[in-house]
Amino acid sequence: MRAMKKVLLTATVQSHIARFHLPLIDMLRKNGYEIHVAAKNNLIEKKGLRLNGPHKVYDIPFTRSPYSKSNITAYRQLKKIIYENRYDVIHCNTPVGGVITRLAARRTRKQGTKVFYTAHGFHFYRGAPLKNWLLYYPVEKWLARYTDVLITINKEDYARAIKTLKAVRVEYIPGVGLDTESFGGITVDKMAKRRELNLPEDSFVLLSVGELNKNKNHQVIIRALSKLKNTSIYYLICGNGSLESYLKKLAEKLGLREQVRLLDYRRDIGEICKSADVFVFPSLREGLGIAALEAMACGLPLIASNIRGITEYAVDGVTGFNCSPDDADGFGKAIDTLMNNREIREKMGSHNVNAVKKFDVKNTLTVMRNIYENYSG
């Protein structure tokens, strides 16, 4: 693989890079690349999570709101960084980070810099709200002309990008990459971990991992539990976010204060997965959903939304059960079925350990390595 001088990775927040792109950074470094990162420093929010690997990190005031004036400042700062460093490749991620980066890179792209964009799930998709199509689709279609390689992580987005966005080149990768061996190899004393989490040893434990926001849709599982009226079921949610207070109040209102546990951001997700019985993933929108893939690698059955991205790996009746995101009764029925049939849980969990290997980081990095090798100029 021919080494290049410099690569800039951008995203709206640094935690996105830390969460999804350290394997890419490590691969590029080992092949002689100098790696810079430009994103907003939100790592305090992640309670000590630290970036490692990049040669240089820039704190850029991106915000997720496309209407924020601070994004103008971010654009100016990023444009200056790009001009001063003369990158060979600029690889952008996340919707706002991707928009601002491609705008800031227009001049240097004319001088030979290649611009890659990884779409971690378009906001416009089959069944998406009309406002998403009106806001995001025209922007992505326009910016495709400033994108040398558009990288998608699910097949629906890939097909749409090929058909309508018309970037210079469109590539598909099997997710952002998961170390399935690492997750699968985690060992834990299940009962001891449950005691640590203050759970009854004989409880039936559901687990979700994700930011506490509207999109992750944790509330539908809380409503499903209220219908089951089974005090032996406990629901753990690992993550933080703006809906923390709302979810706590909802659980209390529905008589589930003790059964719904908000655990904040955690570094021991693998151990908690190994101590749970079922992983629930009720999102309204996902590009793919690495948290569910991690759970599969740990041998858990899934109860998930039947939406774009998730259905790349979640097969109803095989990996677990798929439900409409707003179907509390459906989620409740699926929970009840798995709770009362250990044999089915174990069969689905064993299947998932093998099925998830197609999304292993080795496969993702092989494709990404070829992209850098073939299209970096």
Side-chain angles (χ1 to χ4, degrees), residues 19 183 204-210 216 218 221 234-238 269-270 272-283 286 288-305 310 313-314 319-322 331 334-335 338 345 349 352:
R19 170 74 164 140
F183 265 85
F204 187 77
V205 180
L206 308 175
L207 172 65
S208 287
V209 177
K216 294 300 181 182
H218 302 298
I221 303 301
Y234 285 75
Y235 180 32
L236 310 181
I237 308 175
C238 298
I269 296 299
I272 297 176
C273 280
K274 291 281 188 173
S275 303
D277 295 296
V278 173
F279 191 84
V280 288
F281 203 48
S283 300
E286 289 290 343
L288 194 68
I290 196 167
L293 297 177
E294 291 172 346
M296 290 177 70
C298 289
L300 288 181
L302 305 180
I303 300 176
S305 295
I310 293 178
Y313 50 84
T319 60
F321 297 106
N322 297 354
F331 278 105
I335 292 167
L338 289 180
R345 293 202 309 270
N352 290 351

Side-chain angles (χ1 to χ4, degrees), residues 21-31 35 52-54 365:
H21 298 294
L22 293 184
L24 172 63
I25 290 173
D26 184 57
M27 183 270 286
L28 292 175
R29 281 188 63 123
K30 287 178 179 177
N31 284 278
I35 313 298
N52 57 75
L365 289 180

Side-chain angles (χ1 to χ4, degrees), residues 123-151:
H123 281 62
F124 48 93
Y125 51 90
R126 192 183 305 116
L130 177 61
K131 65 179 182 180
N132 287 30
W133 283 93
L134 294 175
L135 177 61
Y136 294 103
Y137 178 74
V139 173
E140 286 294 346
K141 187 172 178 64
W142 175 56
L143 288 174
R145 72 185 69 183
Y146 304 117
T147 309
D148 294 289
V149 184
L150 173 57
I151 303 165

Side-chain angles (χ1 to χ4, degrees), residues 115-257:
V115 176
F116 300 169
Y117 172 53
T118 297
H120 294 261
F122 292 133
H123 281 62
F124 48 93
Y125 51 90
R126 192 183 305 116
L130 177 61
K131 65 179 182 180
N132 287 30
W133 283 93
L134 294 175
L135 177 61
Y136 294 103
Y137 178 74
V139 173
E140 286 294 346
K141 187 172 178 64
W142 175 56
L143 288 174
R145 72 185 69 183
Y146 304 117
T147 309
D148 294 289
V149 184
L150 173 57
I151 303 165
T152 62
I153 65 171
N154 66 66
K155 292 177 182 177
E156 181 181 321
D157 285 355
Y158 176 73
R160 178 161 287 111
I162 288 284
K163 183 177 181 179
T164 64
L165 296 186
K166 303 187 187 307
V168 175
R169 184 169 296 276
V170 180
E171 295 285 340
Y172 164 78
I173 61 173
V176 293
L178 170 67
D179 188 344
T180 59
E181 291 182 6
S182 177
F183 265 85
I186 292 172
T187 58
V188 65
D189 184 327
K190 184 173 181 177
M191 294 301 106
K193 191 67 178 180
R194 289 191 172 196
R195 288 192 294 271
E196 176 190 324
L197 296 170
N198 195 29
L199 295 169
E201 292 186 3
D202 61 348
S203 56
F204 187 77
V205 180
L206 308 175
L207 172 65
S208 287
V209 177
E211 188 175 349
L212 307 184
N213 60 28
K214 181 179 179 180
N215 178 61
K216 294 300 181 182
N217 197 30
H218 302 298
Q219 58 269 21
V220 76
I221 303 301
I222 297 175
R223 296 187 187 281
L225 292 185
S226 73
K227 296 173 181 289
L228 292 176
K229 301 185 184 304
N230 188 325
T231 57
S232 68
I233 304 174
Y234 285 75
Y235 180 32
L236 310 181
I237 308 175
C238 298
N240 52 25
S242 60
L243 292 190
E244 179 178 357
S245 177
Y246 166 75
L247 293 173
K248 286 181 177 178
K249 289 178 180 177
L250 178 63
E252 185 165 4
K253 176 183 176 181
L254 296 176
L256 298 167
R257 183 175 63 178

Side-chain angles (χ1 to χ4, degrees), residues 296 299-301 344-355:
M296 290 177 70
L300 288 181
I344 290 178
R345 293 202 309 270
E346 292 179 349
K347 181 180 179 180
M348 290 174 167
S350 296
H351 168 86
N352 290 351
V353 170
N354 292 315

